[in-house]
């Protein structure tokens, strides 16, 4: 329970700092010649902004064809070598997870909550006098829920709902004394930890995905309202467009990553597979 309160404390501090920066950023983006009257009747419509911005960007949807001859030369690896290589990677992943779990959790929590609250606050301050359509509101709401879910996922990582009761510190000490491959002595425990490590990786992917989506929305808003650093926002819009072309895709894929991370981290998936 102490871990939960500590994580919540870090999340609250990060959120306060992020919100403070989020209030400052719109002032830096504001043009000196900008009038507040511009935003009163300004409408921010997700589909309309995409149509308008695509007129100024080059469509890079073409795919480059790769020569398949070069791939045929690297197919001499045997199944045994591939299995051994995968096993080594899995052992390294579990050992790194055991050794740096606390540091990884702290970095994920503080970094994500700080940047999410910064950009969410920035978006709110900029658009509070504008009409914002349902699609943009849904994306911002989804990111708010993602921010709230981070401490919960990290708590479940340290306190799984189900699965084996594992003394991670003792396992780490044994691995450091006897070598990393001693982790393989108990296959069930090793598999449980491997699932958790994979869950953390998926969690980072989920958080990165939501950050990219939020940056895309911010670029749309700033381009529409003609804020400063237009070239930078235009570049961000182009680079993040593939992740946020559709609100349905964004929320569906984000929810899929969130649920997948929950199943891995909480120990539920490990229990279902081993039972």
């Amino acid at each position: 329970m102490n871990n939960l309160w500590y994580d919540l404390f870090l999340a609250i501090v990060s959120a306060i700092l992020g919100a403070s920066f989020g209030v400052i950023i719109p002032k830096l983006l504001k043009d000196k010649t900008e009038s507040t009257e511009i935003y009163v009747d300004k409408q921010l419509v997700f589909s309309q902004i995409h149509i308008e911005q695509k007129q100024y960007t080059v469509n890079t949807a073409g795919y480059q064809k790769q020569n398949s001859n070069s791939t045929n030369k690297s197919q001499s690896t045997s199944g045994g070598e591939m299995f051994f290589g995968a096993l080594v990677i899995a052992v390294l992943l579990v050992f790194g997870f055991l050794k740096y779990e606390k540091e990884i959790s702290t970095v994920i929590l503080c970094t994500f909550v700080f940047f999410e609250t910064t950009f969410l606050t920035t978006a709110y301050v900029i658009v509070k006098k504008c009409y914002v359509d349902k699609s943009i509101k849904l994306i911002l709401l989804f990111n708010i829920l993602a921010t709230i879910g981070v401490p919960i996922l990290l708590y479940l990582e340290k306190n799984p709902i189900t699965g084996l009761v594992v003394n991670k510190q003792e396992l780490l000490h044994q691995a450091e004394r006897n070598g990393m491959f001693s982790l393989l002595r108990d296959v069930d425990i090793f598999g449980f930890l491997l699932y958790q490590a994979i869950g953390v990786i998926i969690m980072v992917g989920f958080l990165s995905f939501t950050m990219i989506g939020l940056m895309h929305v911010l670029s749309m808003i700033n381009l529409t309202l003609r804020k400063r650093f237009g070239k930078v926002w235009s570049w961000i819009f182009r680079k993040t467009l593939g992740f946020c072309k559709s609100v349905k895709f964004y929320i569906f894929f984000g929810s899929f990553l969130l649920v997948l991370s929950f199943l891995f981290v909480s120990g539920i998936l490990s229990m279902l597979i081993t039972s």
Side-chain angles (χ1 to χ4, degrees):
M1 195 68 180
N2 292 333
N3 290 332
L4 177 61
W5 290 115
Y6 178 71
D7 288 345
L8 286 176
F9 172 75
L10 289 179
I12 291 171
V13 172
S14 300
I16 293 172
L17 291 174
S20 301
F21 276 91
V23 173
I24 296 172
I25 290 176
K27 297 180 180 179
L28 300 176
L29 296 174
K30 189 175 181 180
D31 197 334
K32 293 180 180 179
T33 60
E34 194 175 290
S35 173
T36 55
E37 297 177 357
I38 297 175
Y39 306 115
V40 176
D41 299 322
K42 195 66 179 178
Q43 296 186 353
L44 297 171
V45 181
F46 186 85
S47 57
Q48 182 180 344
I49 296 173
H50 271 191
I51 293 172
E52 291 175 353
Q53 291 304 320
K54 283 178 182 179
Q55 295 176 358
Y56 303 100
T57 57
V58 179
N59 187 359
T60 56
Y63 295 96
Q64 295 181 350
K65 294 183 179 180
Q66 297 180 351
N67 193 346
S68 59
N69 294 331
S70 59
T71 59
N72 294 331
K73 297 179 181 179
S74 59
Q75 295 180 355
S76 58
T77 305
S78 66
E81 290 174 340
M82 291 179 64
F83 174 78
F84 180 76
L87 184 63
V88 170
I89 293 173
V91 171
L92 288 171
L93 185 61
V94 171
F95 180 76
F97 172 68
L98 288 174
K99 190 169 185 178
Y100 300 107
E101 180 186 14
K102 184 177 180 180
E103 291 81 358
I104 292 171
S105 298
T106 302
V107 170
I108 290 175
L109 179 64
C110 295
T111 303
F112 177 76
V113 172
F114 172 78
F115 282 111
E116 278 284 343
T117 52
T118 296
F119 296 138
L120 283 169
T121 305
T122 299
Y124 170 75
V125 172
I126 293 175
V127 306
K128 63 181 179 180
K129 295 181 180 180
C130 305
Y131 166 80
V132 182
D133 79 332
K134 184 179 178 181
S135 297
I136 295 177
K137 287 180 180 178
L138 282 174
I139 292 175
L140 295 177
L141 178 61
F142 183 78
N143 277 55
I144 292 173
L145 295 176
T147 306
I148 296 172
V150 172
I152 299 174
L153 286 175
L154 292 174
Y155 175 77
L156 292 175
E157 173 203 329
K158 300 169 186 174
N159 304 273
I161 295 176
T162 183
L164 298 173
V165 178
V166 179
N167 188 335
K168 294 180 180 178
Q169 286 299 318
E170 180 62 27
L171 283 174
L172 178 60
H173 292 326
Q174 291 180 6
E176 290 176 337
R177 284 197 310 265
N178 306 322
M180 291 185 296
F181 283 92
S182 62
L183 293 169
L184 295 171
R185 290 176 180 172
D186 193 319
V187 178
D188 290 336
I189 291 178
F190 178 79
F192 173 74
L193 293 173
L194 181 60
Y195 277 114
Q196 280 209 312
I198 294 173
V200 172
I201 294 174
I202 297 173
M203 187 197 311
V204 172
F206 163 70
L207 301 180
S208 301
F209 177 77
T210 57
M211 281 296 301
I212 292 171
L214 184 54
M215 288 302 297
H216 182 73
V217 171
L218 269 178
S219 69
M220 292 170 57
I221 293 170
N222 284 284
L223 286 170
T224 303
L225 299 181
R226 301 182 185 278
K227 292 287 186 177
R228 296 173 66 185
F229 312 113
K231 291 183 178 180
V232 175
W233 293 118
S234 180
W235 180 85
I236 293 174
F237 177 86
R238 293 195 306 271
K239 296 299 180 182
T240 58
L241 180 60
F243 295 89
C244 208
K245 281 185 177 181
S246 164
V247 178
K248 290 182 180 179
F249 166 77
Y250 178 78
I251 293 179
F252 172 79
F253 189 68
S255 301
F256 170 74
L257 291 177
L258 177 61
V259 172
L260 200 61
S261 175
F262 168 76
L263 292 175
F264 272 92
V265 167
S266 64
I268 292 177
L269 190 61
S270 175
M271 182 198 68
L272 292 174
I273 292 177
T274 55
S275 60

